[in-house]
């Protein structure tokens, strides 16, 4: 571990020097890449230097134990006893910091939510989930851009797609893909019976053009009139776009932007994300064990969470985590659940690394 830490610190120092080189500062792309690398190394280096500082303090204080003055010796012993417990704590923190990062963690995301089993109630729940993620994004100082929405006459959405941009969005939301189940009495239920419905969430990292080789010759682009709930026409111009990727059969529609040009750009953005998602899943299928060790596979069929309204309870089934604060969670207070998922993922990765040593 310490060899890796020494190498990271050496690389950090090298990047610092490179960033002061006039040749680098004049190259915008290289400057951007090195600044990003420096930022990713900084937290590890800072913690490692804190660790080495404590070790040095202990060694320096040990010298005071040889002093003839008993008060100085007593003071030194107390100082050592204060410093020693910090060592294992920082070592554990360093182990977590050294866990290989998901290359997509820094990326923005495209989220798709669809009403699934449960008819109108499923669509209403899809709308509730959209509002929940919107509130969470607002609390995290992220921005949301609506890409496409198919509203339901009863409320909510049969399908909604939106983009969230900000700092490390994917690292927080990547665990949200899967089937979300709601248990409650629907507004349309006259006898007070609890119904179970589901909505499916798919979180995809935004894909750069260089990451997905999208040949536009493989893409068919159709235009149509934007429509509202129940097929009601929103405008008479064909500003909505439907993009079909012929090799895979993937279809993307976008109609919420003001112009055909914007809708086309958004549709291609979503298509790239879906193709990138396919590439990632194929790669993970080949790796096998790595995919099984993750919290959730991202499969739409996987039931990941239940929102029980009568008991004000939300349960994440993948890690057995239950919170009696559904009223807060549905208002965007997702931090306790997401932190528990991140902690469990780190724990599994540390166990995996230990077993491989």
């Amino acid at each position: 571990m310490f060899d890796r830490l020494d190498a990271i610190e050496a690389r950090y120092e090298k990047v610092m020097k490179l960033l002061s080189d006039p040749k680098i500062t004049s190259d915008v792309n290289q400057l951007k890449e090195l600044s990003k690398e420096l930022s990713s190394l900084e937290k590890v280096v800072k913690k490692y230097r804190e660790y080495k500082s404590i070790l040095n303090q202990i060694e320096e204080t040990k010298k005071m134990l040889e002093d003839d003055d008993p008060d100085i010796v007593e003071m030194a012993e107390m100082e050592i006893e204060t410093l020693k417990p910090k060592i294992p704590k920082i070592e554990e923190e360093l182990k977590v910091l050294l866990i290989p990062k998901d290359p997509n963690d820094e990326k923005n995301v495209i989220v798709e939510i669809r009403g699934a089993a449960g008819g109108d109630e499923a669509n209403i729940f899809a709308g509730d989930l959209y509002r929940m993620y919107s509130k969470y994004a607002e609390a995290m100082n992220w921005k949301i851009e609506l890409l496409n929405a198919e509203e339901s006459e009863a409320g909510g959405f049969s399908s909604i797609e939106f983009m969230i941009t900000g700092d490390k969005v994917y690292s927080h939301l990547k665990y949200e893909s899967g089937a979300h189940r709601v248990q409650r009495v629907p507004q349309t239920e006259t006898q007070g019976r609890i119904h179970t419905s589901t909505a499916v969430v798919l979180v995809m990292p935004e894909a750069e053009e260089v990451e997905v080789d999208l040949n536009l010759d493989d893409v068919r682009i159709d235009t149509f009139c934007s429509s509202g709930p129940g097929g009601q026409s929103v405008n008479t111009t064909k500003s909505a776009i439907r993009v079909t990727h012929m090799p895979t059969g993937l279809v993307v529609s976008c109609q919420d932007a003001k112009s055909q040009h914007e809708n086309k750009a958004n549709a291609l953005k979503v298509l790239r994300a879906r193709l990138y998602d396919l590439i990632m899943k194929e790669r993970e299928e080949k790796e096998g064990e790595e995919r099984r060790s993750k919290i959730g596979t991202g499969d739409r069929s996987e039931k990941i969470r239940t929102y029980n309204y009568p008991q004000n309870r939300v349960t994440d089934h993948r890690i057995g985590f239950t919170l009696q604060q559904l009223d807060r969670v549905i208002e965007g207070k997702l931090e306790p659940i997401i932190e528990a998922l991140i902690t469990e993922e780190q724990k599994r990765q540390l166990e995996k690394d230990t077993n491989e040593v």
Side-chain angles (χ1 to χ4, degrees), residues 45-277:
V45 172
K46 187 176 179 181
K47 185 60 66 176
Y48 184 38
R49 286 176 176 174
E50 180 187 346
Y51 177 77
K52 290 193 293 183
S53 174
I54 290 172
L55 290 180
N56 288 333
Q57 288 178 58
I58 290 173
E59 289 305 311
E60 289 298 317
T61 308
K62 280 181 178 178
K63 295 175 183 177
M64 296 168 61
L65 296 174
E66 300 171 3
D67 199 284
D68 295 332
D69 188 334
D71 290 338
I72 291 178
V73 172
E74 183 182 359
M75 185 177 67
E77 288 173 344
M78 290 174 62
E79 181 69 13
I80 291 169
E81 287 304 308
T82 303
L83 292 169
K84 274 187 174 179
K86 295 181 179 180
I87 295 173
K89 182 176 181 294
I90 295 179
E91 284 178 349
E92 287 304 310
E93 290 174 354
L94 284 168
K95 286 178 184 176
V96 171
L97 288 170
L98 287 175
I99 293 173
K101 298 291 187 293
D102 186 328
N104 294 314
D105 275 352
E106 302 285 334
K107 292 186 176 182
N108 302 321
V109 301
I110 290 172
V111 184
E112 175 189 294
I113 306 175
R114 291 182 180 274
D120 288 341
E121 173 63 7
N123 294 339
I124 292 169
F125 181 49
D128 293 338
L129 290 177
Y130 170 63
R131 183 172 176 273
M132 178 182 77
Y133 291 126
S134 298
K135 291 272 189 180
Y136 180 61
E138 184 181 347
M140 297 292 288
N141 292 316
W142 297 336
K143 291 183 179 179
I144 283 192
E145 178 188 356
L146 184 62
L147 301 176
N148 192 56
E150 296 175 19
E151 296 182 23
S152 169
E153 289 185 353
F157 304 93
S158 58
S159 174
I160 184 167
E161 290 169 310
F162 52 98
M163 185 170 184
I164 305 181
T165 58
D167 184 35
K168 299 179 180 177
V169 182
Y170 187 72
S171 70
H172 290 79
L173 293 181
K174 62 184 175 183
Y175 307 106
E176 295 303 297
S177 291
H180 293 240
R181 182 174 69 172
V182 63
Q183 295 173 328
R184 64 185 177 190
V185 179
Q187 296 175 1
T188 54
E189 171 59 53
T190 57
Q191 299 181 31
R193 292 174 298 185
I194 296 173
H195 288 226
T196 298
S197 306
T198 57
V200 175
V201 176
L202 178 62
V203 177
M204 300 171 288
E206 182 186 16
E208 302 290 338
E209 290 188 32
V210 293
E211 293 172 308
V212 176
D213 184 18
L214 179 59
N215 187 346
L216 292 179
D217 290 338
D218 294 333
V219 175
R220 189 181 75 231
I221 299 176
D222 301 307
T223 59
F224 59 99
C225 292
S226 299
S227 61
Q232 182 182 2
S233 179
V234 172
N235 58 51
T236 55
T237 60
K238 292 187 175 182
S239 62
I241 292 289
R242 184 181 297 108
V243 171
T244 305
H245 187 244
M246 308 305 289
T248 61
L250 289 172
V251 179
V252 177
S253 297
C254 280
Q255 64 174 13
D256 281 83
K258 293 179 181 179
S259 70
Q260 187 182 106
H261 177 74
E262 288 177 288
N263 280 322
K264 179 181 176 182
N266 286 339
L268 291 175
K269 195 179 291 182
V270 174
L271 179 59
R272 283 194 184 91
R274 288 190 182 176
L275 289 171
Y276 186 58
D277 188 55

